[in-house]
Amino acid sequence: MKDLRRYLVLKYVQYLVLSSTNTISTLLGLLGSLYTLIILQSAKVSSKSTAVLISSLAKADLLVLVGVVSEVAVRTFGVGVSSTTFASALLQNLLTANTHISCLLLSCVAFEAYLITFLPTESRQLRTVRNARLTARIIWVLVTVECALFQADDLLKATGTSAPTRSPCVLLFYFSSSAATLLRSLSYFLGIILRIVNVFFYYKIFFSMSNRSRLKTK
């Protein structure tokens, strides 16, 4: 459990403290996720809702690997410029999806820690493995749709389609472009809100634990 706590601290720093990810933090995150997935296979780790959320958090780094491998493969085999542009956009969108999934899952972990601290009995029926898996699936589905919209928007910009047409495919691309623009704007504000919410949760937990320790020492 100590290793899992260290992993959570690493992820909080990577996604909710640092303004943007960099190569070093991404590499450390990948190594931490690999180590965490190995730990979660151990029989010593009980199957609880927190473990389910942490497992999904670690698996989110697979998106980074997929994006990096795809871009390296495209650049290595020297395919066309359009494929290179597509791979670069895919890498960026997968990195964005990884960030959004991780931030949402970390917020779920913080919320669960808050419930355990202040409402342990009342929230017991809510903090189940089934609900944790359902929550993780919903997050993955929503972010996957977001990633697809971003990729479609990048493809539309790369092709430079500007002539008005009533083709359903082109209209669909324009719709995805508008939706992607809106999502990019909302994701910035959502990131700020998640940071504030996480700080609030751990602020309350920290002072609650501090007060309990003071009462024990008296």
Side-chain angles (χ1 to χ4, degrees):
M1 294 305 297
K2 290 182 179 179
D3 290 335
L4 293 180
R5 292 190 188 99
R6 294 190 187 101
Y7 173 70
L8 286 176
V9 171
L10 171 63
K11 285 299 179 179
Y12 276 112
V13 172
Q14 181 181 356
Y15 293 111
L16 296 175
V17 176
L18 297 178
S19 58
S20 61
T21 57
N22 52 59
T23 304
I24 297 177
S25 64
T26 301
L27 180 60
L28 290 175
L30 287 172
L31 294 176
S33 295
L34 178 61
Y35 180 63
T36 299
L37 288 175
I38 295 175
I39 291 177
L40 291 173
Q41 300 302 316
S42 173
K44 296 180 180 180
V45 180
S46 58
S47 179
K48 294 184 178 180
S49 55
T50 303
V52 172
L53 295 174
I54 294 176
S55 175
S56 185
L57 175 65
K59 292 176 183 178
D61 277 349
L62 294 176
L63 296 175
V64 180
L65 287 177
V66 171
V68 171
V69 169
S70 63
E71 185 173 22
V72 170
V74 169
R75 294 182 182 275
T76 301
F77 293 104
V79 295
V81 177
S82 59
S83 298
T84 303
T85 303
F86 179 85
S88 299
L90 179 62
L91 173 61
Q92 186 59 45
N93 291 327
L94 288 177
L95 288 174
T96 301
N98 169 256
T99 300
H100 291 177
I101 290 175
S102 299
C103 289
L104 290 171
L105 288 173
L106 286 171
S107 299
C108 290
V109 173
F111 179 61
E112 185 175 49
Y114 178 86
L115 292 178
I116 293 173
T117 304
F118 296 100
L119 300 169
T121 305
E122 298 85 342
S123 64
R124 185 170 299 172
Q125 294 182 350
L126 181 64
R127 296 181 289 103
T128 62
V129 172
R130 179 180 179 182
N131 288 339
R133 289 174 178 169
L134 178 61
T135 300
R137 288 172 185 169
I138 291 174
I139 291 174
W140 274 87
V141 170
L142 291 177
V143 177
T144 299
V145 173
E146 178 194 54
C147 183
L149 289 174
F150 287 167
Q151 190 67 22
D153 181 40
D154 292 332
L155 180 61
L156 178 63
K157 292 177 180 178
T159 55
T161 305
S162 58
T165 178
R166 294 183 179 180
S167 172
C169 293
V170 176
L171 291 176
L172 180 61
F173 269 114
Y174 277 117
F175 170 78
S176 63
S177 178
S178 301
T181 302
L182 178 62
L183 284 174
R184 285 191 172 99
S185 301
L186 291 177
S187 62
Y188 174 77
F189 294 103
L190 179 60
I192 296 176
I193 293 174
L194 289 179
R195 285 176 171 86
I196 295 174
V197 169
N198 278 269
V199 170
F200 170 78
F201 284 150
Y202 285 110
Y203 171 84
K204 297 288 289 185
I205 293 172
F206 174 77
F207 279 97
S208 174
M209 299 300 292
S210 299
N211 292 333
R212 291 179 185 178
S213 62
R214 288 177 184 176
L215 291 174
K216 290 180 180 180
T217 55
K218 290 183 180 181

